[in-house]
Amino acid sequence: MSDFEPKIVAFVCNWCTYAGADLTGTNRMKYSPRVTIIRFPCTGRIDFMLLLKAFANGADGIIVSGCHPNDYHYSSGNFHARRRWIVFRGLLDFLGIDVRRVQFSWVSAAEGAKWAQLVDATAEQIRQLGPFSGYHKLRGAGVE
Amino acid sequence: METLRNKARELLASKTVQMVIGYGRGSGEAAPARAVFIRAAAEAESLIFDASCQQNLAVYLMKPEVRQLGKAALVATPSALRTILQLAAENQVKDHDLLALAVDAQGEVTPLATLQTIEAHVAALDCNLSAGEKTELQKYVALDPEQRRQFWQEEFARCLKCYACRGACPLCYCSRCTVECNQPQWIPVPAHDLGNLEWNVMRAMHLAGRCVNCGDCSRACPVGIPLYLLNQRLLSEVLANFNFRSGMAAKADNAMSTFKPDDPEDFIR
């Protein structure tokens, strides 16, 4: 298990977290390379099905991040997203899926350092949890 | 039962409604009651109401082939009344579109002609999970996550992807469901583990904050998957976090398409 390197997919909004992650890079801050960033117009656009697809396609962990409430590019998408995640986490937990594999965060365009910490902390968490093979195996059971 | 038949005769004879949707005798012990669509006063004989009449008849309100038959009177259990209010809140039924014949376990019939009267009737009902439902739900919540995962994997393994749960659900009325979208294919078609899980997650999520816990999905399931547990878990979640109950008012925001600035966010880093 010690040489396990997690695959993390980050679903981020264009306006805050994506810009924040950009800032991390332009500041030459180092953070875990295990993350694949997918840019969305808004956190409100991130359907829960996309998260399931990431797991089915081999992700061991997921980061969902966007603008802080009240510091928001549009006016309410992240508030809607927050409601959705509250319910979705409850459902995942009830289905016995470890909710620690999905990390939610607000990272603004000025928080390059927070992004680096977030990715590192998530990578460390997933490293401890190990590969999400229980879920990945489900895919093998189907005919694609 | 005779009160109900007389009411149906009266409504049809006076042409107040074109049709009464109610329960009739089913085909045997396994199906003691089934839905009947009464369109002439003389046919009202076949209406029954007893403990076996559990189906949420509000499901037919959203079927186009039923809608085109004109204004209906609907024999409505408490769940069906809440469904009507939820459908109204989602702009799917209008006031005076239908007449609800509220029935209770004693066979009392209360005609409710407007959404406002339905609201008043529902407000007097106990819409909490019953003690038995709470105990059963708690049993699963108390399991450790791995046991829960195994439990659901075994349950979903029986899923045939027949979508009877969707067909029976009065609130699964989209004319084009995500499960039929294949560009991209959101849910794999074959009835295998991944698609079965994804389908059931999606069904539950799309009903979050809308489901009125009528239990018809579970009754319709040919392989007996306890889908009501998922629904009850999510409606508890919605009640606890947003203090919201579906199907209580004809004009209400949907729990999942509105928000409060102070919704809990202790899980967000």
Side-chain angles (χ1 to χ4, degrees):
Chain A
M1 197 63 74
S2 59
D3 56 353
F4 163 68
E5 281 299 332
K7 260 190 209 161
I8 298 170
V9 178
F11 294 89
V12 306
C13 84
N14 179 38
W15 304 101
C16 289
T17 306
Y18 194 84
D22 229 7
L23 185 67
T24 320
T26 47
N27 282 343
R28 301 274 188 268
M29 284 182 206
K30 279 205 168 140
Y31 63 97
S32 170
R34 306 304 306 170
V35 65
T36 305
I37 298 176
I38 304 179
R39 179 166 64 158
F40 281 75
C42 170
T43 29
R45 167 67 181 83
I46 304 172
D47 193 282
F48 60 90
M49 287 302 293
L50 294 166
L51 274 55
L52 293 185
K53 290 292 158 195
F55 279 141
N57 284 293
D60 301 301
I62 289 175
I63 294 172
V64 179
S65 180
C67 308
H68 287 267
N70 303 318
D71 174 25
Y72 179 57
H73 184 76
Y74 302 107
S75 64
S76 58
N78 55 352
F79 285 114
H80 285 116
R82 184 169 66 185
R83 274 216 163 178
R84 200 177 310 146
W85 305 136
I86 291 170
V87 173
F88 187 56
R89 277 181 98 246
L91 179 61
L92 287 185
D93 181 53
F94 193 55
L95 292 171
I97 295 172
D98 196 331
V99 290
R100 289 174 297 178
R101 291 192 183 272
V102 191
Q103 179 65 57
F104 299 92
S105 183
W106 307 129
V107 173
S108 83
E111 293 176 322
K114 183 178 178 185
W115 173 253
Q117 283 165 12
L118 172 71
V119 174
D120 283 342
T122 309
E124 188 46 41
Q125 170 88 79
I126 305 298
R127 218 171 268 127
Q128 281 169 17
L129 292 173
F132 201 7
S133 38
Y135 200 98
H136 302 155
K137 268 196 306 217
L138 294 178
R139 187 188 177 100
V143 180
E144 285 294 318
Chain B
M1 205 138 44
E2 212 40 55
T3 335
L4 181 64
R5 289 175 185 157
N6 286 336
K7 190 72 206 166
R9 281 188 201 106
E10 176 196 321
L11 289 169
L12 290 166
S14 65
K15 299 211 188 313
T16 314
V17 299
Q18 272 73 56
M19 172 175 57
V20 176
I21 307 176
Y23 301 95
R25 198 66 66 206
S27 52
E29 253 173 60
R34 67 182 187 88
V36 290
F37 303 82
I38 310 284
R39 296 170 70 193
E43 296 167 15
E45 299 298 300
S46 55
L47 282 174
I48 60 163
F49 190 77
D50 57 32
S52 67
C53 301
Q54 290 185 315
Q55 191 195 353
N56 182 348
L57 296 177
V59 66
Y60 297 109
L61 294 176
M62 295 307 298
K63 310 283 180 200
E65 58 275 34
V66 175
R67 282 199 154 191
Q68 70 180 18
L69 297 176
K71 182 171 173 171
L74 187 87
V75 177
T77 56
S79 296
L81 292 173
R82 287 185 65 195
T83 306
I84 293 168
L85 291 180
Q86 184 61 30
L87 288 172
E90 295 174 14
N91 300 316
Q92 299 302 317
V93 296
K94 290 199 292 286
D95 217 353
H96 308 293
D97 259 5
L98 69 129
L99 189 135
L101 298 172
V103 281
D104 61 15
Q106 284 74 44
E108 285 291 321
V109 182
T110 319
L112 303 167
T114 62
L115 294 173
Q116 210 185 346
T117 53
I118 297 178
E119 272 176 9
H121 191 90
V122 165
L125 300 170
D126 178 8
C127 296
N128 291 308
L129 294 183
S130 71
E133 286 172 328
K134 275 187 191 152
T135 317
E136 193 189 2
L137 189 59
Q138 197 48 44
K139 193 180 92 192
Y140 292 98
V141 172
L143 292 177
D144 70 59
E146 179 52 26
Q147 286 173 313
R148 269 205 304 272
R149 192 193 63 74
Q150 268 179 7
F151 168 76
W152 285 112
Q153 191 165 344
E154 282 165 26
E155 293 296 324
F156 292 156
R158 297 200 304 277
C159 177
L160 306 163
K161 295 275 223 38
C162 67
Y163 308 128
C165 43
R166 179 183 68 178
C169 178
L171 292 162
C172 259
Y173 54 73
C174 296
S175 52
R176 188 157 187 240
C177 174
T178 313
V179 85
E180 266 103 34
C181 293
N182 53 9
Q183 292 288 342
Q185 181 89 54
W186 284 102
I187 313 266
V189 175
H192 288 125
D193 289 353
L194 180 65
N196 288 0
L197 174 71
E198 287 182 340
W199 159 246
N200 283 291
V201 166
M202 194 189 79
R203 195 199 65 82
M205 276 301 285
H206 286 177
L207 286 166
R210 303 173 58 232
C211 171
V212 298
N213 194 28
C214 69
D216 267 6
C217 46
S218 318
R219 281 193 284 273
C221 182
V223 293
I225 301 173
L227 298 167
Y228 61 90
L229 290 174
L230 298 174
N231 299 338
Q232 290 171 2
R233 171 64 216 241
L234 291 194
L235 66 90
S236 312
E237 198 81 24
V238 167
L239 183 62
N241 286 294
F242 317 135
N243 191 25
F244 179 89
R245 235 186 262 273
S246 56
M248 303 303 285
K251 281 209 188 320
D253 287 328
N254 195 321
M256 298 308 287
S257 53
T258 181
F259 64 87
K260 287 192 188 129
D262 57 350
D263 282 333
E265 58 166 32
D266 49 355
F267 64 96
I268 300 178
R269 200 178 274 184

